[in-house]
Amino acid sequence: MIPKKWLDSRFIAYFNKAPPSIVCPSFWLLKWSTGCPFHCSYCYLQGTLYGKKQPRLKDLEEMRRELERFLSWADDSNLEVLLNAGELSDSLAIAPWTNKLIEILCEVLIRHNGHKVLLVTKGGTKHITPLLTASQNLADKFIVSFSVNSIAAAKKFENGAPSPDNRLKAAKILQEQGFEIRLRIDPVIPIANWKTSYLALLEKIFTRYELKPSRITIGTLRGLRKTIRFAKKRDWYQYLKSGEKTGWGLKPPFNLRIKMYSLLIESIRSYGYKEPIALCKETLEAWQALRKHLEDPGNPPQWQNVKCNCTL
């Protein structure tokens, strides 16, 4: 039983609000800041923060004290916790705040074995410096998840963010330093020549940069009502107009999503990748349609024990 104070405090929250029709496991949030300096036109933070997406920092010393109390409770409860520091902001893109965040996390995590922090980012090589300057023996305290997209989609919809190549280069550098790397290919957008664009992305991941992510999570556009309302640019909305209404907003048409997922999953496996592949905030029907692509026959359905970006 999770004490009420840890369900949604100022700095810690337990996300368990996914509707029954959507497969999304519960996970822990570390709410150290809100907002993002990048300007991805589809970004859900535009709706979450009611259009006020500029980065805002919380009191990190107060966060340190609360994090100590929370991890002490987790220790006493024999829980191993993964705290997602990238749900309400980019984990690495807000310098110099990130420097202080990493410094505090290193100091706290070294006193609480078994717990990790998930850093989710569209940042590139210039954004990973705080991790590279931390003690090397603390690499196992972090999981760094890079959100990447095809070059064509990034140029069109991810204004201000480093190029996908630069993000993959940063992931390679951290991988060589002993950090666990995860990838989010999200959102997959059915732009013209999308097949060629996304297959080229996979070739870069596995051949050019020789990345070995511990997990890959794939998602498509999710048009939540508030995101659509507060988005400054709606160029991405064209791909949702004839889409499916789901418990997590509008999505591209069901058959198109299955086609995109199938192509990417089959291609990923063709590179010999054997680690978990998951879908992000997808419907149960989509998971069921893709079961033969996502898991081995005879195993329990993966949607009953999702190994995705945000879980241990």
Side-chain angles (χ1 to χ4, degrees):
M1 180 68 69
I2 300 173
K4 184 177 180 180
K5 66 179 179 179
W6 297 131
L7 291 176
D8 193 10
S9 72
R10 185 180 180 196
F11 295 97
I12 307 290
Y14 188 65
F15 179 86
N16 58 355
K17 300 175 183 177
S21 61
I22 296 296
V23 177
C24 181
S26 301
F27 58 92
W28 290 99
L29 301 179
L30 179 62
K31 302 185 291 182
W32 68 283
S33 70
T34 59
C36 180
F38 304 142
H39 303 288
C40 302
S41 58
Y42 54 75
C43 181
Y44 66 89
L45 287 178
Q46 296 173 104
T48 303
L49 304 175
Y50 299 92
K52 300 176 181 178
K53 201 174 72 68
Q54 67 274 17
R56 285 171 284 179
L57 181 66
K58 295 187 178 183
D59 186 332
L60 293 187
E61 288 303 324
E62 185 179 347
M63 182 207 73
R64 181 205 299 266
R65 293 189 289 272
E66 182 162 312
L67 183 58
E68 284 276 10
R69 292 192 293 269
F70 170 73
L71 292 181
S72 293
W73 165 78
D75 291 340
D76 293 340
S77 304
N78 293 317
L79 292 179
E80 290 186 356
V81 170
L82 176 64
L83 280 159
N84 184 339
E87 186 72 8
L88 297 175
S89 64
D90 189 292
S91 300
L92 296 178
I94 316 175
W97 301 349
T98 301
N99 300 52
K100 184 64 175 178
L101 172 69
I102 300 301
E103 176 186 321
I104 290 174
L105 292 177
C106 287
E107 293 175 3
V108 174
L109 291 171
I110 201 168
R111 292 193 288 274
H112 298 276
N113 291 324
H115 310 298
K116 297 185 179 185
V117 171
L118 174 67
L119 303 170
V120 186
T121 187
K122 280 189 174 78
T125 52
K126 75 175 185 179
H127 299 101
I128 62 174
T129 301
L131 289 170
L132 297 176
T133 56
S135 281
Q136 285 193 343
N137 63 349
L138 293 177
D140 64 344
K141 303 295 185 184
F142 297 97
I143 299 172
V144 189
S145 177
F146 286 87
S147 292
V148 293
N149 218 315
S150 72
I151 291 177
K155 284 182 178 179
K156 188 173 180 63
F157 302 107
E158 297 180 353
N159 185 38
S163 69
D165 271 289
N166 193 258
R167 297 176 222 172
L168 295 175
K169 184 177 180 181
K172 175 70 170 178
I173 292 170
L174 290 180
Q175 177 178 279
E176 291 175 343
Q177 294 299 315
F179 286 86
E180 179 181 346
I181 299 300
R182 294 180 181 178
L183 292 180
R184 295 177 69 250
I185 305 174
D186 187 18
V188 179
I189 304 175
I191 58 175
N193 299 315
W194 65 266
K195 294 181 181 180
T196 301
S197 297
Y198 285 98
L199 291 179
L201 172 66
L202 297 181
E203 193 278 334
K204 288 176 181 290
I205 290 170
F206 292 107
T207 302
R208 179 174 177 181
Y209 292 100
E210 299 181 312
L211 291 177
K212 299 176 181 178
S214 61
R215 293 182 188 177
I216 297 176
T217 302
I218 311 172
T220 60
L221 282 171
R222 299 180 281 281
L224 295 167
R225 184 179 302 174
K226 286 202 305 178
T227 306
I228 296 169
R229 177 184 174 187
F230 288 100
K232 297 188 183 306
K233 291 182 63 178
R234 297 184 179 88
D235 47 355
W236 50 276
Y237 183 66
Q238 61 182 298
Y239 303 103
L240 302 178
K241 287 183 178 179
S242 60
E244 179 185 2
K245 293 182 179 180
T246 75
W248 209 274
L250 283 172
K251 296 178 182 290
F254 180 84
N255 289 338
L256 176 58
R257 300 203 314 277
I258 299 305
K259 183 178 181 179
M260 293 191 296
Y261 287 137
S262 298
L263 178 73
L264 266 65
I265 294 168
E266 289 176 1
S267 181
I268 289 168
R269 293 302 188 201
S270 74
Y271 285 97
Y273 185 79
K274 298 180 180 180
E275 303 304 324
I277 302 173
L279 309 180
C280 189
K281 294 181 174 67
E282 257 297 355
T283 62
L284 177 59
E285 289 77 13
W287 280 86
Q288 291 170 333
L290 291 160
R291 183 170 182 177
K292 68 177 183 179
H293 297 283
L294 289 166
E295 54 200 53
D296 296 327
N299 286 342
Q302 191 181 341
W303 59 82
Q304 294 179 358
N305 182 29
V306 182
K307 294 181 180 179
C308 65
N309 185 67
C310 299
T311 63
L312 270 174

